[in-house]
Amino acid sequence: QIPKDPTQRWLRELAAMSQQLQQVHPNVLAKILKQRTLYQNEEIVVIDKPYGLPVHGGPGIKNCIADVLPILAKMLENMKAEPLHLCHRLDKETTGVMVLARSKEAAEKIRLLFKTRQVEKIYWAIVLGDPDPVEGVVEIPIVEKEVQSHQSHYKMTLAPNYRLCPEDGKVMKIRRHRHAERAVTRYRRLAGAAACSLLELQPITGVKHQIRVHLAYGLGCPILGDHKYSHWSKLAPQKLPELTLRRLKLEQSKARHLPLHLHAHRLCLPLGQPLDFVCKLPLFFQKTLRKLELDIPKD
């Protein structure tokens, strides 16, 4: 039964997005990834990662990229069917450019490029609010902490090495949290409308959930559809501004269906000559931009 109302139809699509790829046979999933191959040579295969597909398995996960790499390798023509190898990871909800290696040696070489920050990564995200300033660098260490609430859970959070002195409001350095990792994210606003902004992001370091944490807690601009990092102490759907809800034709009670709007747009890999890969925005992301009347940059 397909709803006639376009808003209801859109909601149905959003609600189904995370589930769809978990319900297909691994061979079908490998075929989908093959169709989403952007580039291949004798060392690497570059895919456009779909929404809602985890890179690694875990409790309750039927399908993940790691599990179908041997099948995908066999499906790619004219190449030895040695299983492909993961070189880096993207969150389950993140879409876009992802690099796989054809051999252990190539994977190690590429992992080292990521580790030594020689890979340039550009993401696009729709966020709530307007970052102030509209362009800059967030450089605040990140640490994983347990959130004590009625549902205790773990999440990444900021661990700044400074605080404001209560007496005079001046910035004071404090001792570094021993488990915190250095995290640096460059950002700039590309467009703004409907109480939202489209940002271009360049993570210089690669800490787990770095972009999401820096935007939500560092800039106060959580990513649209990031229900995990829109609140600190509770697990609840993101609260959206009135104007955003109106443009999206959504009720707040349905906000939980909104997917994370974070896309790995571009990746530059210095393998011999620099290889530059660009992934266009997924359809749901393009639709949201149109509904919010955010101008898509010509890129």
Side-chain angles (χ1 to χ4, degrees):
Q1 187 85 43
I2 296 169
K4 284 198 171 67
D5 173 26
T7 304
Q8 289 302 321
R9 207 161 49 233
W10 193 55
L11 259 179
R12 176 80 65 89
E13 281 166 27
L14 296 181
M17 235 174 14
S18 268
Q19 302 308 314
Q20 281 161 347
L21 294 172
Q22 289 301 305
Q23 285 157 2
V24 299
H25 188 277
N27 288 358
V28 177
L29 182 58
K31 204 170 181 179
I32 291 168
L33 296 181
K34 183 191 172 200
Q35 286 161 357
R36 298 176 75 102
T37 299
L38 302 173
Y39 174 86
Q40 54 176 310
N41 65 15
E42 60 288 340
E43 273 197 301
I44 60 168
V45 173
V46 181
I47 60 167
D48 173 3
K49 180 191 165 298
Y51 184 87
L53 181 62
V55 173
H56 297 284
I61 289 170
K62 180 173 170 259
N63 279 331
C64 67
I65 291 177
D67 288 351
V68 298
L69 291 182
I71 310 169
L72 178 60
K74 289 196 177 94
M75 284 183 178
L76 295 164
E77 303 98 313
N78 310 330
M79 298 287 178
K80 301 198 302 294
E82 191 185 327
L84 293 159
H85 301 263
L86 294 167
C87 302
H88 63 120
R89 50 166 298 159
L90 291 176
D91 288 352
K92 173 186 166 188
E93 294 91 358
T94 305
T95 55
V97 186
M98 188 167 178
V99 181
L100 306 166
R102 289 197 179 277
S103 66
K104 268 202 176 78
E105 301 72 52
E108 273 158 27
K109 186 160 70 174
I110 293 162
R111 281 183 207 128
L112 188 63
L113 291 175
F114 273 97
K115 204 174 172 184
T116 52
R117 302 186 189 137
Q118 294 180 63
V119 180
E120 191 187 336
K121 297 168 286 181
I122 302 290
Y123 288 75
W124 280 6
I126 300 175
V127 301
L128 301 182
D130 211 3
D132 182 19
V134 292
E135 186 169 338
V137 177
V138 182
E139 186 168 354
I140 309 173
I142 288 176
V143 71
E144 187 162 26
K145 278 193 176 167
E146 185 176 7
V147 181
Q148 302 290 346
S149 69
H150 67 290
Q151 268 176 299
S152 282
H153 59 287
Y154 283 88
K155 59 169 75 160
M156 308 305 282
T157 190
L158 301 177
N161 42 18
Y162 54 83
R163 68 182 177 88
L164 296 179
C165 173
E167 283 78 50
D168 55 11
K170 285 191 176 146
V171 173
M172 288 167 47
K173 270 196 94 61
I174 55 174
R175 213 171 75 225
R176 191 180 155 270
H177 190 296
R178 65 197 174 98
H179 296 302
E181 291 183 75
R182 181 171 175 258
V184 184
T185 310
R186 268 198 199 111
Y187 72 92
R188 71 185 177 105
R189 193 184 68 171
L190 301 174
C196 291
S197 303
L198 175 65
L199 302 188
E200 180 183 86
L201 303 142
Q202 186 182 2
I204 309 299
T205 51
V207 179
K208 179 182 172 184
H209 295 173
Q210 173 181 318
I211 291 176
R212 296 164 66 178
V213 172
H214 272 173
L215 290 180
Y217 303 149
L219 285 172
C221 294
I223 297 175
L224 182 66
D226 194 347
H227 308 292
K228 180 166 185 160
Y229 289 107
S230 291
H231 315 277
W232 167 246
S233 60
K234 57 182 178 177
L235 292 166
Q238 188 174 50
K239 184 102 178 69
L240 296 178
E242 211 39 64
L243 178 57
T244 312
L245 288 169
R246 262 208 317 276
R247 287 269 171 93
L248 292 174
K249 295 191 166 69
L250 265 191
E251 295 157 35
Q252 176 56 46
S253 62
K254 300 282 192 269
R256 67 182 187 280
H257 294 306
L258 269 183
L260 183 77
H261 285 70
L262 177 62
H263 176 68
H265 172 60
R266 188 167 161 228
L267 190 141
C268 190
L269 200 59
L271 271 183
Q273 86 277 31
L275 296 169
D276 210 347
F277 306 109
V278 173
C279 234
K280 67 176 207 291
L281 291 166
L283 275 175
F284 79 85
F285 201 123
Q286 294 178 39
K287 256 187 195 173
T288 303
L289 286 175
R290 280 198 300 275
K291 283 171 182 275
L292 294 173
E293 294 171 27
L294 277 165
D295 294 326
I296 303 172
K298 300 283 173 273
D299 192 326

